[in-house]
Amino acid sequence: NGCVMRGLSSVVFSLLALCSCVARIDGSVDGQINDPEMLFAITVGVDLPDAAGALRSSYVADDLNRITDLNVFVYHEGQLLRNCCRYFTDMSNLMLSLPYGKDGFNIYMVGNMGRIEAPDAEEDIGSLAYVVASYDDFRTKGFPLAEKFIGYRKGDYAHFGLKRLIGQYDIKMRISAENAEYQVKDVRLQNCAKDVYPFGSGTKASVFVRGQGGDKSGDMLTDEDLAKLNAGETVSLYVVENLQGVLLPDNTDRKKKIPSSLELVSKGIADRCTYIEITADIVTPAAKYSDGKYRFYLGQDELKDFSIRRNTLYDVTLDFTQNMVCEEEWRIEVGEPQVVDVVFSKVDAVVAP
């Protein structure tokens, strides 16, 4: 494959191409070769969103900026320079290949997606898609990454920063009810996108997590995460970009950001919008409610928008109040109460800054 560097011999060959004549392996000499390439040593990293400090217990710091493989695509005047394309699995020896006699390149990089073939015409790069096999792969393979560098000229810079194609939700809990106790037992993302378009503009996801028995779960908190959340600490969930956009433009009531409202807009669209589902036990002075369900759709606001944007940090505060034992369509399901006789002490929830 002309797009892959194979060991020391390929490096030596490319370096020799910088000369006006190249010695063949058999020792004979050719004249000037066509479109010789220049090699530049580069580094590639991950540009995290500002203030991305919370860490899931199931991740370590290196997981947030891990790069396990890298595709580099180089375009000039709208056409792919296939001989300059590279696929790397060793991040310690990255080389950018550019031809002599040309400048002003558009460079596209994608990471942690395996080997990908780029389209010959740059105008088709927006249709390039990647489908996440499993959200569990984030821990070992790394988050899907991408970035484009338009109008790059030789020697402009040697470090290239990629962006994560996922949104990060930092979650903390606050208890506003003095006479209620809440114990969160499960937090998970539902209707999670699996397909993402690294260079698409406003492209909507069309493939979603669908497990056995209709399970729609994507990322979810571990038992250790839940313990931290209940203790007042901040934990994180990660979800692939999903640009569904503004679907309820006239909505003014956050209680109406629910599936039945979406179905009035377009049949089936509710299954394309990502939401968080929380399971908790609630104890009030009069009763205990087991496995209460709390749901809310994600988006850029709490009324109209349903988009999750790449490399964006979202803060979510779960504000538990006394009236959260009252049923609401889809948003709150608490089931039948179990009458109890409880003596309460004031609950002081510790909220992470």
Side-chain angles (χ1 to χ4, degrees), residues 54-70:
L55 285 177
R56 285 269 301 282
S57 61
S58 48
Y59 290 87
V60 297
D62 288 345
D63 292 336
L64 300 183
N65 54 20
R66 174 178 289 119
I67 305 177
T68 55
D69 62 66
L70 179 71

Side-chain angles (χ1 to χ4, degrees), residues 118-289:
D120 288 327
E122 187 177 5
E123 64 182 4
D124 297 327
I125 194 72
S127 64
L128 189 71
Y130 172 70
V131 178
V132 175
S134 170
Y135 272 59
D136 290 336
D137 290 346
F138 294 162
R139 293 179 178 85
T140 55
K141 192 174 182 179
F143 296 111
L145 308 166
E147 189 56 287
K148 58 185 178 182
F149 307 90
I150 304 301
Y152 181 83
R153 303 181 67 83
K154 299 184 184 79
D156 272 356
Y157 44 85
H159 180 77
F160 296 80
L162 308 186
K163 291 183 172 59
R164 302 186 301 181
L165 303 185
I166 54 99
Q168 176 178 330
Y169 283 82
D170 285 357
I171 303 171
K172 61 185 176 183
M173 183 171 70
R174 180 171 62 214
I175 299 176
S176 300
E178 292 189 2
N179 292 327
E181 292 182 353
Y182 290 84
Q183 184 72 23
V184 177
K185 300 168 65 177
D186 186 81
V187 180
R188 63 183 61 204
L189 290 164
Q190 304 279 34
N191 288 351
C192 293
K194 294 184 69 176
D195 62 328
V196 64
Y197 296 80
F199 308 110
S201 177
T203 307
K204 299 179 180 180
S206 59
V207 182
F208 295 83
V209 174
R210 295 289 185 268
Q212 294 182 347
D215 181 33
K216 301 177 290 183
S217 302
D219 199 12
M220 63 186 70
L221 296 185
T222 65
D223 289 342
E224 188 176 349
D225 300 327
L226 292 168
K228 290 183 176 181
L229 180 64
N230 283 304
E233 297 186 39
T234 300
V235 293
S236 301
L237 287 172
Y238 303 93
V239 61
V240 172
E241 180 177 69
N242 184 9
L243 301 178
Q244 295 298 325
V246 175
L247 300 177
L248 299 175
D250 300 321
N251 184 38
T252 58
D253 184 356
R254 65 181 181 179
K255 294 182 180 180
K256 294 299 183 181
K257 195 177 182 182
I258 55 178
S260 60
S261 298
L262 289 170
E263 289 301 304
L264 295 176
V265 175
S266 177
K267 186 174 179 59
I269 192 65
D271 290 333
R272 294 171 177 263
C273 298
T274 306
Y275 64 91
I276 289 181
E277 182 178 83
I278 302 121
T279 303
D281 288 344
I282 312 102
V283 181
T284 71
K288 176 181 179 179
Y289 300 82

Side-chain angles (χ1 to χ4, degrees), residues 25 32 44 50 82 93 96 131 169 171 209 235 247 338:
I25 295 177
Q32 180 74 36
V44 175
D50 292 339
R82 195 163 291 278
N93 186 28
L96 179 62
V131 178
Y169 283 82
I171 303 171
V209 174
V235 293
L247 300 177
Q338 175 187 353

Side-chain angles (χ1 to χ4, degrees), residues 4 19 23 46 56 79 149 174 176 205 260 264 285 288 290 310 339 344:
V4 182
C19 304
V46 179
R56 285 269 301 282
Q79 293 298 309
F149 307 90
R174 180 171 62 214
S176 300
S260 60
L264 295 176
K288 176 181 179 179
S290 297
R310 67 182 63 185
V339 177
F344 275 88

